[in-house]
Amino acid sequence: AGTIGAVGNNGLGVTGVNWDVQIMALKFLGSGGSGSTAGAIEAIQYMTRMKTEYGVNVVASNNSWGGGGFSQSLQDAIQASIDAGILFVAAAGNASSNIDASPFYPASYPLDGIISVAASDHNDQLSGFSNFGAVGVDLAAPGTSVLSTLPGNSYGLGNGTSMASPHVAGAVGLLKAFSPESSVAEIKAALLAGVDEVPSM
């Protein structure tokens, strides 16, 4: 939440990518980090319903989670959220693996409305733990020693593609605010067109 939207220029803590944003928190993982595919589907369907039935202006979902095998039901729920105009930003995973060869879900679902995010370090290189893939990963964002908010009104450093993904979700919010009529495809294209191309990645 801090990386997506901590208020900036106020002398407090950290600054998020998007200084003026609202966040809908949907929790399906326990404190130990485990949860069910059914829980993930329910959370995504709730978010989609808030937009389609109640008019809540949801523009992106940040998905700093992953694991487990392919699920057609989960893919269908993600596609329904994309069809509703919500970009699905997904952490690419932290196993130093090529997800083109060994898919990591949900980042690896073959849906155009997903942005799969690897982690980069302070030297603009792929973080050693980050998954990668010429096809399965769209871009990288800061994911090594990222200072952000923590529960209990505190701050701390975090590592992982779960730190990288919210940078992109925050950027989606900024782009959508600038161009509210742009489609999921147009927002994704604008993000990808704006990256710094790093040959090693």
Side-chain angles (χ1 to χ4, degrees):
T3 299
I4 291 171
V7 175
N9 201 32
N10 61 0
L12 297 173
V14 297
T15 297
V17 175
N18 190 336
W19 294 4
D20 184 15
V21 68
Q22 291 180 311
I23 294 173
M24 179 189 300
L26 300 174
K27 180 178 179 179
F28 73 94
L29 300 176
S31 59
S34 62
S36 68
T37 299
I41 292 168
E42 187 176 357
I44 294 166
Q45 289 176 335
Y46 176 88
M47 170 193 69
T48 304
R49 193 165 62 251
M50 288 299 102
K51 179 161 190 173
T52 59
E53 296 182 19
Y54 297 96
V56 178
N57 185 27
V58 184
V59 300
S61 62
N62 177 65
N63 299 277
S64 289
W65 57 275
F70 175 88
S71 164
Q72 186 64 54
S73 296
L74 179 55
Q75 178 173 301
D76 291 347
I78 295 168
Q79 183 63 63
S81 73
I82 294 166
D83 291 343
I86 304 168
L87 261 161
F88 191 92
V89 183
N94 305 319
S96 304
S97 296
N98 182 346
I99 65 172
D100 292 346
S102 299
F104 179 79
Y105 298 107
S108 292
Y109 285 114
L111 304 175
D112 290 339
I114 291 178
I115 301 178
S116 175
V117 186
S120 61
D121 63 19
H122 299 89
N123 296 312
D124 214 15
Q125 298 298 308
L126 188 71
S127 301
F129 55 79
S130 180
N131 286 351
F132 56 92
V135 175
V137 172
D138 294 300
L139 76 169
T144 298
S145 298
V146 174
L147 181 66
S148 192
T149 50
L150 293 174
N153 292 323
S154 62
Y155 305 93
L157 296 172
N159 297 302
T161 56
S162 290
M163 304 295 108
S165 181
H167 283 90
V168 178
V172 170
L174 280 176
L175 281 167
K176 193 69 173 177
F178 175 76
S179 182
E181 301 307 314
S182 291
S183 68
V184 163
E186 288 167 336
I187 295 292
K188 181 176 179 178
L191 271 173
L192 297 184
V195 302
D196 294 330
E197 295 189 7
V198 179
S200 63
M201 287 207 233

